[in-house]
Amino acid sequence: AAPPDADAIKVNQVGFLPGAVKFAVVPDGQARNFTIVRAGTDTVAHQGTLGPATAHAPSGEQVRLAPFTALAAPGRYQVRVAELPDSAPFEIGPAVYGVVNAASIKAYYFNRASTALAATHAGAYARPAGHPDTHVLVHASAASPGRPAGTAIASPKGWYDAGDYNKYIVNSGISTYTLLAAYEDFPALFKAQDLNIPESGNDIPDLLDEALWNLEWMLTMQDPADGGVYHKLTNLRFDGMVMPAQATGPRYVVQKTTAAALDFAAVMATASRVFAPYERQLPGLPARMRAAAQAAWRWAQAHPTDYYRQPADVVTGEYGDKDVTDEFGWAAAELFITTGDAAYYQAMGAPALQATVPSWSDVRGLAWMSLARHRQRLGTVADQALIAGRIDTLSQGLAAASRQSAYGIPMQGADYIWGSSAVALNQAMVLLHGYRLTGKREYLDAAQAGLDYVLGRNAVGMSFVTGIGKRSPQHPHHRPSEADSIAAPVPGWLVGGPQPAQQDKKDCPVPYPSALPAKSYLDHACSYASNEVAINWNAPLVYVSAALQALTPA
Ligand code: G3I
């Protein structure tokens, strides 16, 4: 028989807060018991009985859960089961998510456009500046009377979207918002954090400074003449696997779209209230953001169906979306919260707007989470029962899925789509809002399972975050990681994760090891459909790692 896989026992490879629910997943075999040993020793810290064998359809496995919630003593441990290699080591401790949270934010710094990364901040990943974006051409699809095709505008800063070097407003929307939401919910945690970025120590929390790098870019994507917002800033085709400074092709802003205007409006409305206390450091900026949000909203009202259509000469990412009812609802909700103007709440269409797990193309859930966060000061216009009900109902469904899953996670077969890792974390983010609203412990526990999933309790037995855990992606589809001639990838990035469509297999020299949804993952730089990184995937990792750190009872 083949030797058992070194990572046959699946466990969160970072670890757990002392008061958290704790599970490992063990392949079904002869064993009925397990122990938790002090890492690298035979000292038994906990003994337990494995749960019943259960089928996990997304991975075609029979597995048993190993529960060890009762073990709360700080330390470094491994799970041990007869006949199997010990699990990856993990830690139990009171600050166990500090490192992964900081790394997941620092990843944005590493993806900054238009600036050099200095060794003092970037260490081995220091690099020269790329993409100044001070001479960006208006593409024919974006031409307006004031800015005919070929007009040059300045649109510097921002983050590269992902493994590519383009900048997309739609995806910037949910990404930047989720970072701001993490700050709104857990300000004390972020005020105490030092990320060693150029702005550290400037009297603004580092997370907000990092978000500002992208917000400043986003503001340049609005046409001041009419309030419309360009959909993306892009090359005509993707760059090769080169460093930013080597990618010098012409850059364009492409088409104003309804989705871009609304995502921009939602984020600027959010940012104007988050930065309001920093008026002294950033004079005039909160008011400017608020006015920009309102101008974009008015443009969208006048252009309600301007969907993105990829021009014939452009082949980069689309982020196309032909249903913008959710974007309308989200922008209206944020404008309502920020301005207090009841007309925005009416425009949100709350009674018809459902709550769903958020993604770049479905932002309804963000509206409900923001309303829940601010519910105490919304006044009588907003329907409090409706807000609580939407979040609670969605959380109930996710918690039920978690109870029924052999891995004890909310993820189900259909959740293994492009960017599945972020599906797990956006589910967890919803559950954390459910927990904050209702205090139902099972929501907190199901959220924990989402983080456990991306950090190792998954069918491929690896942490999906670069540089974190015993076994993590070595070859993400990320141009700097490939081109920088450093063996280890840029740290702190969550890769997209398994999904069976394998849209990249024509571009890969090696096959995927499996076609099963939860195992269809390839740690190869060719695999943009399972192993790319992206700003919208890291954002819920920032949120969830902070939230569990802040909310888990001791
Ligand atoms: O939602 C459907 C699902 O119902 C269906 O079962 C499944 C079957 O494969 O498909 C799902 O839709 C997929 C969708 O992602 C899910 O969000 C589409 O097939 C898939 O093509 C789509 O992929 C998008 C991808 O771009 C290609 O357009 C990803 O969402 C999106 O995250 C990704 O974003 C790219 C940018 O365009 C460019 N920069 C890198 C970035 C990350 O890869």
Side-chain angles (χ1 to χ4, degrees):
D5 170 6
D7 298 294
I9 302 176
K10 278 92 175 195
V11 67
N12 179 331
Q13 297 175 17
V14 170
F16 305 88
L17 292 151
V21 66
K22 306 175 192 80
F23 282 107
V25 166
V26 176
D28 182 32
Q30 302 300 314
R32 294 293 173 268
N33 303 302
F34 70 99
T35 58
I36 309 285
V37 295
R38 293 264 170 191
T41 77
D42 295 325
T43 307
V44 174
H46 179 89
Q47 313 193 30
T49 307
L50 296 172
T54 312
H56 184 58
S59 63
E61 297 169 289
Q62 283 277 120
V63 298
R64 295 174 183 267
L65 286 172
F68 55 99
T69 301
L71 178 61
R76 203 166 160 74
Y77 301 98
Q78 289 174 285
V79 185
R80 179 168 294 174
V81 174
E83 317 280 318
L84 293 175
D86 288 350
S87 77
F90 61 89
E91 197 175 314
I92 294 176
V96 80
Y97 298 137
V99 168
V100 63
N101 180 258
S104 64
I105 304 169
K106 186 82 179 244
Y108 291 85
Y109 163 75
F110 287 122
N111 249 32
R112 286 188 186 186
S114 318
T115 188
L117 307 188
T120 41
H121 308 116
Y125 301 98
R127 60 167 171 81
H131 304 91
D133 288 342
T134 46
H135 187 87
V136 173
L137 303 170
V138 174
H139 187 266
S141 61
S144 62
R147 290 179 170 181
T151 306
I153 66 167
S155 192
K157 299 193 174 180
W159 303 307
Y160 300 128
D161 182 57
D164 63 327
Y165 290 141
N166 303 304
K167 305 190 288 196
Y168 307 82
I169 286 290
V170 164
N171 204 42
S172 266
I174 184 169
S175 307
T176 314
Y177 164 81
T178 302
L179 299 188
L180 296 175
Y183 181 78
E184 281 199 307
D185 280 338
F186 311 105
L189 187 150
F190 293 109
K191 281 178 180 164
Q193 190 174 53
D194 182 347
L195 298 173
N196 183 25
I197 58 175
E199 299 79 11
S200 293
N202 72 349
D203 218 12
I204 298 173
D206 285 0
L207 176 66
L208 296 188
D209 277 321
E210 195 49 56
L212 207 45
W213 188 266
N214 203 54
L215 288 160
E216 287 176 337
W217 164 66
M218 290 181 80
L219 284 168
T220 70
M221 290 291 279
Q222 184 172 46
D223 182 348
D226 62 4
V229 179
Y230 303 112
H231 193 74
K232 62 177 176 176
L233 190 164
T234 182
N235 294 13
L236 294 181
R237 42 204 67 249
F238 286 114
D239 292 300
M241 284 284 179
V242 298
M243 291 301 281
Q246 269 80 61
T248 55
R251 307 270 274 179
Y252 296 86
V253 288
V254 180
Q255 201 190 332
K256 291 171 189 165
T257 64
T258 311
L262 292 168
D263 287 341
F264 174 100
V267 171
M268 287 303 160
T270 304
S272 80
R273 66 174 183 261
V274 170
F275 283 97
Y278 298 96
E279 172 69 33
R280 181 178 58 77
Q281 293 91 329
L282 303 163
L285 187 65
R288 190 177 155 218
M289 288 168 157
R290 177 174 158 142
Q294 289 172 313
W297 170 260
R298 285 192 296 271
W299 187 93
Q301 298 287 307
H303 303 83
T305 56
D306 283 11
Y307 306 126
Y308 184 67
R309 288 181 318 275
Q310 184 92 304
D313 59 340
V314 179
V315 302
T316 54
E318 298 195 15
Y319 291 117
D321 185 357
K322 293 198 165 53
D323 180 352
V324 293
T325 48
D326 55 308
E327 283 81 3
F328 268 110
W330 179 38
E334 301 300 348
L335 281 159
F336 168 60
I337 294 164
T338 296
T339 65
D341 183 344
Y344 287 120
Y345 186 78
Q346 300 312 329
M348 184 192 155
L353 196 74
Q354 296 304 314
T356 49
V357 174
S359 68
W360 66 260
S361 62
D362 182 0
V363 292
R364 288 173 280 183
L366 305 181
W368 291 108
M369 287 189 270
S370 284
L371 291 170
R373 170 176 314 126
H374 293 282
R375 66 192 178 285
Q376 256 121 30
R377 57 174 193 80
L378 294 182
T380 50
V381 194
D383 184 337
Q384 300 287 336
L386 187 66
I387 296 168
R390 283 285 194 275
I391 302 272
D392 192 29
T393 304
L394 184 55
S395 300
Q396 270 171 37
L398 293 167
S402 194
R403 278 198 302 276
Q404 281 149 25
S405 151
Y407 265 72
I409 55 175
M411 292 282 279
Q412 297 177 279
D415 293 326
Y416 295 89
I417 57 170
W418 194 315
S420 58
S421 301
V423 175
L425 291 171
N426 280 311
Q427 291 173 337
M429 185 163 79
V430 169
L431 285 156
L432 287 157
H433 282 82
Y435 175 66
R436 276 163 58 100
L437 265 174
T438 67
K440 291 182 190 167
R441 177 71 199 222
E442 69 166 333
Y443 296 171
L444 182 69
D445 293 350
Q448 176 71 47
L451 186 65
D452 292 350
Y453 168 84
V454 301
L455 294 179
R457 199 169 101 214
N458 56 63
V460 296
M462 63 192 285
S463 160
F464 290 126
V465 184
T466 58
I468 298 284
K470 178 197 163 208
R471 194 159 75 88
S472 62
Q474 297 303 305
H475 305 287
H477 182 88
H478 180 232
R479 281 166 178 71
S481 291
E482 270 301 285
D484 64 8
S485 70
I486 300 169
V490 176
W493 282 108
L494 178 71
V495 299
Q499 59 105 359
Q502 303 184 358
Q503 291 93 332
D504 49 20
K505 66 181 167 199
K506 61 184 184 310
D507 299 306
C508 283
V510 289
Y512 278 63
S514 170
L516 288 160
K519 288 183 149 182
S520 178
Y521 168 76
L522 188 59
D523 185 10
H524 193 294
C526 67
S527 186
Y528 49 84
S530 82
N531 208 33
E532 191 163 355
V533 306
I535 56 173
N536 62 315
W537 303 337
N538 255 54
L541 176 60
V542 171
Y543 187 97
V544 171
S545 55
L548 288 171
Q549 182 69 55
L551 297 177
T552 305

